[in-house]
Amino acid sequence: MPENDNAIVLKKELEEILPRKLAQVFRDYGLDLDELLVPLKWKPLVLFIGNYSSGKSTFINEFLGRDIQRTGQAPTDDSFTIITAPEGEEPEGDLTGSTVVNDERFPFESLRGFGQKLLSHLSMKRVKAPVLENIAIIDTPGMLDSVTEQDRGYDYLGVIGEFAKLADLIVLMFDPHKAGTIKETYKVLRVTLPGMVGEDRVRFVLNRIDECESLEDLVRAYGTLCWNLSQMTGRKDIPRIFLTYARIEGREVLPEFKIWEKEREELKRSLLDAPRMRLYHMLQEVDNVVRELALEIEALENLKSRFRTKLWGFSKSLIFAGTGAFFLGDLAMNLIFGYPSNPFVMDLVSGTLGPHSFLWPLIWLLLVVAAGSAVFQKITFPRFARKYADDPDPLVKLKTPYERDLWPVVRQRVSELIEKHARRQVWMPHSRNLQKVRRFLKKDLQAFYERIKLY
Ligand SMILES: Nc1nc2c(ncn2[C@@H]2O[C@H](COP(=O)(O)OP(=O)(O)O)[C@@H](O)[C@H]2O)c(=O)[nH]1
Ligand SMILES: [Mg+2]
């Protein structure tokens, strides 16, 4: 599998170049670079979701050429099953839910939070099949309807969302009878997958088309589905929908439907594309995180320049006040207390200026500067920091919808950094960091995208 080799080479290169170019910058902003690649540490994942008895398990069995998953008309299987080949010399067999979420080799730690009930409905089946060397397939209990979902005892849609975040390819399968539940499922994808980038990970499948009674019937079902989909995606164009059916022994299929048999084969082949999708996924993930970082630095750079303006304004007042105190401080003392007898200005006018004349002016100057700095440190600056910690919005100009999508998360981080380390933020070399990050996005990451296209 040359594609998979390329995937490994590219992944290695990315893992090398990312720390070399950006580790320092990540650390400067309190982010952990290693965490970024955790979801990508295991095999490429293909996730099957859709309504119950849409034919997910039947399709998976067919794809593997073995009867691995139970199938049936009623909601037969209410478990999440991760199917893959055993590693190295390990034997075939099942792993329990708690093993799956606790084994460091697998990327499923995030499922621990969903409780015991989920763990008893999660397992890994390890099956020796050549296609499973490079991918893992996740079969899910079919979506019932939103009311019944609440009885499962765990957050079903939340779990789907977690899997969707990890998955490189998502097969969204539904049948003509129950296309309604697709809406709920799709909503989860929309909120979990980042921005617009996630959409290309989804394969839409209308399965069991052999159950349509005629071609007209199929066209009607397809039309309804397209309408529903365009409402859900909010796009003008309709994503490709694979029309498929399983060949079941003893079951007659209308001859006109036979032309769709090749779509099922095409869909199977597209699952083998998962390793390449993994590369996209990986780049999108990196892209996303680095763009978040860029936005964060931009905000802090702006904070720094606002700080400079503020500091300069304050300094100007301080210079003014200091000059006044230098020339007039001892004169005022003289007028009120009669001491010192020869204030600075008088010496200046009478031409009797000597080193002794500078003593009081300098003391006054120092006093004003000290008082001014104290005010700045204790009052002006904390107020300035508080203002932007409470509301960092004025610090950025969100130019694209993508940046608007990123901002809520970044906003939170900016706010926390200002809250905790405001002083550091106004002195850090943000613009240099921003340059590094932008160069990475423009040059290095772009080069990776170009290379994927070639494969
Ligand atoms: N007519 C027809 N039946 C199918 C097709 N695919 C699956 N089935 C049947 O539908 C039932 C549910 O399938 P299953 O794979 O368990 O659905 P799942 O709940 O999505 O995993 C089973 O009885 C299958 O034999 C198909 O394309 N056409
Ligand atoms: Mg099933």
Side-chain angles (χ1 to χ4, degrees):
M1 284 227 168
E3 242 170 33
N4 202 47
D5 289 349
N6 284 334
I8 292 168
V9 170
L10 271 183
K11 182 164 184 255
K12 279 229 170 76
E13 279 181 37
L14 195 61
E15 279 169 345
E16 186 270 326
I17 203 167
L18 205 57
R20 186 155 53 79
K21 302 240 159 161
L22 294 182
Q24 180 62 50
V25 184
F26 267 71
R27 224 172 305 133
D28 277 355
Y29 297 91
L31 299 173
D32 189 353
L33 194 56
D34 294 333
E35 247 172 53
L36 172 60
L37 295 167
V38 164
L40 306 166
K41 67 182 173 187
W42 202 46
K43 301 178 188 189
L45 295 178
V46 182
L47 174 69
F48 279 80
I49 51 182
N51 62 264
Y52 77 89
S53 70
S54 56
K56 298 181 293 298
S57 304
T58 306
F59 184 88
I60 291 170
N61 287 345
E62 196 182 305
F63 178 69
L64 298 177
R66 279 175 69 173
D67 269 347
I68 303 295
Q69 289 295 83
R70 215 143 49 88
T71 60
Q73 286 297 352
T76 36
D77 187 355
D78 64 350
S79 290
F80 289 88
T81 314
I82 302 157
I83 310 165
T84 191
E87 243 132 292
E89 297 300 305
E90 290 180 36
E92 289 198 333
D94 297 357
L95 301 181
T96 63
S98 56
T99 313
V100 170
V101 300
N102 288 313
D103 191 324
E104 294 227 324
R105 283 177 298 175
F106 311 132
F108 301 114
E109 299 104 82
S110 61
L111 295 175
R112 272 182 227 162
F114 286 90
Q116 197 51 44
K117 191 92 182 171
L118 169 69
L119 295 189
S120 60
H121 288 87
L122 171 71
S123 69
M124 186 184 286
K125 284 188 185 170
R126 308 208 292 175
V127 178
K128 284 197 172 138
V131 286
L132 293 176
E133 295 290 333
N134 294 320
I135 57 175
I137 292 175
I138 304 172
D139 194 5
T140 64
M143 177 84 190
L144 301 165
D145 55 63
S146 37
V147 185
T148 334
E149 287 317 336
Q150 326 235 322
D151 302 338
R152 285 194 203 259
Y154 59 84
D155 176 9
Y156 169 81
L157 291 176
V159 176
I160 295 276
E162 278 308 310
F163 276 124
K165 262 189 251 172
L166 296 170
D168 303 290
L169 202 64
I170 299 170
V171 179
L172 190 44
M173 187 176 269
F174 31 105
D175 64 58
H177 316 295
K178 299 181 220 66
T181 51
I182 193 89
K183 262 191 191 149
E184 309 277 330
T185 320
Y186 188 78
K187 239 190 306 177
V188 187
L189 293 189
R190 228 10 315 128
V191 296
T192 1
L193 298 181
M196 291 311 286
V197 292
E199 205 108 310
D200 48 1
R201 266 182 234 167
V202 184
R203 301 275 178 273
F204 295 92
V205 183
L206 178 61
N207 194 33
R208 298 179 70 154
I209 59 166
D210 59 313
E211 288 175 323
C212 293
E213 276 162 24
S214 61
L215 216 46
E216 283 115 312
D217 203 18
L218 173 63
V219 170
R220 227 170 280 130
Y222 180 72
T224 313
L225 188 65
C226 287
W227 165 252
N228 279 332
L229 266 184
S230 73
Q231 298 255 298
M232 285 187 276
T233 59
R235 297 187 343 187
K236 299 234 162 40
D237 56 333
I238 307 246
R240 161 144 196 214
I241 301 171
F242 288 84
L243 300 177
T244 62
Y245 65 91
R247 263 175 291 175
I248 295 171
E249 235 173 281
R251 202 187 146 84
E252 283 297 317
V253 176
L254 293 178
E256 322 59 303
F257 284 13
K258 295 244 159 86
I259 54 168
W260 278 290
E261 265 169 24
K262 61 179 192 311
E263 291 216 354
R264 198 164 174 93
E265 295 311 312
E266 204 182 322
L267 179 61
K268 284 183 209 158
R269 274 198 303 280
S270 92
L271 300 196
L272 296 174
D273 209 22
R276 202 165 68 107
M277 297 296 291
R278 158 59 54 99
L279 284 180
Y280 269 115
H281 185 171
M282 196 156 70
L283 292 185
Q284 283 169 351
E285 205 77 18
V286 172
D287 203 333
N288 218 43
V289 172
V290 176
R291 261 174 225 282
E292 274 177 14
L293 182 61
L295 195 58
E296 181 173 344
I297 303 179
E298 211 179 294
L300 293 168
E301 164 69 13
N302 195 335
L303 179 82
K304 185 172 163 181
S305 89
R306 279 168 194 240
F307 168 76
R308 281 200 188 133
T309 311
K310 187 108 203 156
L311 185 62
W312 177 231
F314 195 89
S315 306
K316 275 196 293 200
S317 318
L318 197 60
I319 290 170
F320 185 74
T323 312
F326 183 88
F327 284 105
L328 306 173
D330 57 353
L331 184 64
M333 282 170 70
N334 175 281
L335 293 177
I336 299 167
F337 308 114
Y339 174 86
S341 52
N342 289 325
F344 182 79
V345 186
M346 288 191 186
D347 280 352
L348 193 66
V349 175
S350 63
T352 51
L353 216 55
H356 64 278
S357 328
F358 285 88
L359 177 65
W360 279 105
L362 285 176
I363 290 176
W364 272 104
L365 181 63
L366 270 176
L367 276 176
V368 168
V369 170
S373 323
V375 168
F376 190 79
Q377 300 251 355
K378 296 277 178 244
I379 300 170
T380 314
F381 184 74
R383 255 195 218 156
F384 168 85
R386 167 105 332 263
K387 178 172 146 205
Y388 291 107
D390 285 347
D391 179 18
D393 288 347
L395 296 176
V396 280
K397 277 200 203 73
L398 302 171
K399 294 174 284 289
T400 59
Y402 187 41
E403 284 186 343
R404 276 195 283 279
D405 275 354
L406 297 179
W407 180 238
V409 177
V410 177
R411 185 184 191 278
Q412 181 66 25
R413 292 200 326 233
V414 169
S415 169
E416 268 166 30
L417 275 181
I418 301 178
E419 175 105 43
K420 287 197 195 121
H421 311 286
R423 269 162 228 276
R424 223 179 126 221
Q425 297 315 319
V426 297
W427 298 112
M428 260 170 51
H430 296 301
S431 54
R432 206 175 40 188
N433 285 340
L434 193 55
Q435 261 176 16
K436 278 190 205 165
V437 169
R438 290 212 170 122
R439 206 180 311 129
F440 179 84
L441 283 171
K442 237 186 159 149
K443 225 180 93 233
D444 301 293
L445 202 59
Q446 218 46 50
F448 274 101
Y449 276 120
E450 293 297 322
R451 284 170 61 191
I452 289 191
K453 271 191 212 144
L454 301 180
Y455 296 141

